[in-house]
Amino acid sequence: MTSEIEWRRKWKPDLGSCPWQAIEVEGIKYLIKFRFTENSYEILITDLVHFWYEELEDIALRKRIQKLNPSIEASLTRILDQIRSSIEFPERETTLSVGFKSSSGEDNQEKIMLKITSQLAGMPFVWNFIANVADSEMVSENLIIPLMGMVCELTRRQKELVKVVQNKDKEIDDYKSQGVKTSRKHIETKSFVETAFENEMLMSKMFENSVKSLGSTAFDEAGQDLYRQIMTKYAWINRSPTKEDDNNEEFDDESLGDVAERKGSSGPSWGSNRLPPSITGPKSVSPDKVRPKTSPAKSPKSSASNTPEGSPVKDSEYLRRQALERRLEQEEMKKHEKSKKKKKIAF
C-alpha cells in the first residue's frame, strides 16, 4: 500500500484543501478561497449568507484577458500570477469592488462580480471574477465539514494541553516539597484549575470581542494552516484506492539505502517483482530460490531472445535490467533469510 508520505508527494490539492482568506470590500467582509493552475483557476466567494463559484479555463480565460486588457502582452502564467497576487497580497495601487447581476438584468444575489484593478509592469491591469451561485454540496465540502473538523481538532488539542499543564503543576509541587523556590517571586504561578480557567475565559473582554467578530479571525495564518492540514488528511482518508495501491510493494528506506550503497545505483526503485514496462520481456519471474513454485528466473540474455525481431535493444537497457534484477533478487533473498531466522528462534 502507498504510504501517506508518498501519497502527499504525488497528490495535487483541490479547491477543498485550499484555505479561506478574509477580505473586506467596500465595508463588507467576505471569505474567499481559490486554486490556480498554469492555465486555469477556481474561486469561491461568500459573505456567510450566499456562496458564489467560478471556474475559468484556457480558452475562456484568454478571451477575457483579451477583452479586459487588450494592450497587455504577457504569458498566461504571468497573468494568472498577477491575478492571484492581487487577491492574496494586494498592494497599495490595488483596488477591489463588488457588484451583483442576474440573468434578468436586475440587481440581486444571483451573480457576483469581483473587480480588481492593479498594475502589471507599470501598466493598468483589470480583472473581473464573475461567479454564479454555488450548489449546497460545494458549501458543505468547503466550509461546513472543514469547520467541524477544525473545532474537533482544537477541542482535542485543548484537552491535551490541560493534561500537560496539570502534569507541570504536579512536577512543581514535587520541587516545592523538596524546598525548591523560584528565584523571582513574580514568575510564580497558581495551580491550574480547568473550571476556573474556563469561567475566566467566558468573562474576559477578549471573549466578547471574539463573538463580535463572528469568526473573522478564524482564518488567520494559524487557522489557514490548520484548515489546510485537516483537509489534506481528509483527502487521504477518503482517497480512492487504485491498482497501484493494491499491487505495488515498496522497499523500506533502510533496505533501499543498503542496496544503493552496495550497488552504487542511482536508478529508480521498483516494487517487488516489478520492472519498468519499457524493459520487461513477456514475463517477469521471481527468483527460483525464493518462490519454488514459479518458473526459473530468466537471464537478460534469454529474455532478449523473446524480443521481437526488428526491435533492437540497446546495451544500456540490458545493463540496467540486469542490475535491477540482481538488486531485486538480493532483496528477496535478504527478506527470505530474515523470515527463516525468525522461524528458527521462535518458541
Side-chain angles (χ1 to χ4, degrees):
M1 294 289 290
T2 301
S3 67
E4 183 176 355
I5 295 176
E6 185 67 23
W7 174 85
R8 282 173 178 258
R9 290 172 182 168
K10 298 178 181 179
W11 179 63
K12 295 181 179 180
D14 55 7
L15 182 64
S17 63
C18 299
W20 290 94
Q21 176 179 324
I23 62 171
E24 185 171 338
V25 184
E26 299 172 346
I28 301 176
K29 295 180 180 180
Y30 296 90
L31 289 176
I32 185 172
K33 66 183 323 197
F34 41 79
R35 185 181 74 92
F36 283 78
T37 68
E38 293 182 354
N39 59 356
S40 67
Y41 70 73
E42 291 179 273
I43 188 169
L44 188 61
I45 308 170
T46 181
D47 58 1
L48 297 182
V49 178
H50 307 89
F51 288 78
W52 301 274
Y53 170 76
E54 182 187 33
E55 180 179 13
L56 210 59
E57 297 182 343
D58 198 350
I59 298 176
L61 186 58
R62 293 177 188 274
K63 287 182 178 179
R64 189 177 298 180
I65 292 171
Q66 184 62 30
K67 179 180 179 180
L68 297 175
N69 304 277
S71 60
I72 291 181
E73 294 184 3
S75 66
L76 185 58
T77 303
R78 177 68 183 88
I79 290 178
L80 285 172
D81 286 342
Q82 172 67 18
I83 297 172
R84 177 171 184 167
S85 62
S86 297
I87 309 175
E88 197 167 12
F89 308 106
E91 298 179 352
R92 290 184 179 180
E93 63 271 14
T94 301
T95 59
L96 303 176
S97 62
V98 169
F100 299 97
K101 293 183 178 182
S102 70
S103 56
S104 60
E106 299 177 358
D107 289 345
N108 58 22
Q109 308 297 320
E110 186 176 332
K111 284 187 178 182
I112 187 173
M113 184 175 73
L114 176 60
K115 183 176 181 179
I116 302 174
T117 303
S118 61
Q119 295 282 328
L120 175 59
M123 298 183 63
F125 179 83
V126 178
W127 188 256
N128 295 337
F129 291 104
I130 305 173
N132 297 305
V133 174
D135 57 45
S136 57
E137 184 178 352
M138 182 168 285
V139 174
S140 175
E141 291 176 351
N142 288 273
L143 189 64
I144 298 175
I145 291 175
L147 284 179
M148 291 177 68
M150 291 174 69
V151 170
C152 289
E153 175 58 14
L154 289 173
T155 302
R156 183 189 70 84
R157 293 184 184 186
Q158 179 176 315
K159 291 179 180 178
E160 291 299 319
L161 285 172
V162 168
K163 292 179 183 178
V164 171
V165 174
Q166 290 173 342
N167 288 334
K168 287 290 183 183
D169 279 346
K170 292 179 182 178
E171 183 180 351
I172 293 172
D173 289 341
D174 183 58
Y175 291 147
K176 287 182 177 180
S177 67
Q178 300 177 42
V180 178
K181 296 183 179 180
T182 58
S183 59
R184 288 167 289 181
K185 188 69 176 178
H186 70 275
I187 65 173
E188 187 173 351
T189 58
K190 297 180 181 179
S191 296
F192 177 79
V193 180
E194 185 177 359
T195 304
F197 171 76
E198 291 177 352
N199 289 334
E200 183 181 348
M201 292 296 101
L202 290 175
M203 299 302 295
S204 68
K205 185 67 176 179
M206 294 301 294
F207 176 67
E208 182 178 341
N209 294 338
S210 179
V211 174
K212 286 180 179 179
S213 68
L214 292 176
S216 60
T217 59
F219 295 107
D220 57 9
E221 186 175 351
Q224 288 180 349
D225 183 64
L226 178 61
Y227 180 100
R228 188 182 295 107
Q229 294 300 330
I230 284 177
M231 294 310 293
T232 301
K233 178 69 75 171
Y234 183 78
W236 157 254
I237 294 171
N238 294 279
R239 71 193 184 285
S240 299
T242 62
K243 293 181 180 179
E244 184 178 356
D245 289 336
D246 295 334
N247 300 327
N248 188 25
E249 300 175 14
E250 298 178 352
F251 293 131
D252 57 40
D253 294 339
E254 183 179 354
S255 63
L256 277 175
D258 293 341
V259 173
E261 185 175 354
R262 290 197 306 268
K263 302 301 293 182
S265 171
S266 59
S269 303
W270 298 88
S272 177
N273 299 323
R274 291 177 65 89
L275 294 175
S278 61
I279 62 174
T280 52
K283 295 182 179 179
S284 179
V285 186
S286 303
D288 181 54
K289 293 182 180 180
V290 179
R291 299 182 180 177
K293 293 184 180 181
T294 60
S295 58
K298 297 181 181 180
S299 65
K301 186 176 293 185
S302 62
S303 297
S305 63
N306 293 326
T307 305
E309 294 182 5
S311 301
V313 182
K314 296 181 179 179
D315 293 340
S316 59
E317 291 182 347
Y318 279 116
L319 294 174
R320 185 182 176 195
R321 177 178 178 178
Q322 191 174 13
L324 285 170
E325 288 183 339
R326 281 201 304 268
R327 190 171 72 182
L328 290 171
E329 183 176 356
Q330 289 174 356
E331 192 63 22
E332 288 291 337
M333 290 299 296
K334 183 179 177 181
K335 292 180 181 179
H336 187 61
E337 289 298 325
K338 284 183 180 179
S339 63
K340 287 177 66 177
K341 288 180 181 179
K342 288 182 181 178
K343 289 181 180 178
K344 287 181 181 180
I345 64 173
F347 291 93

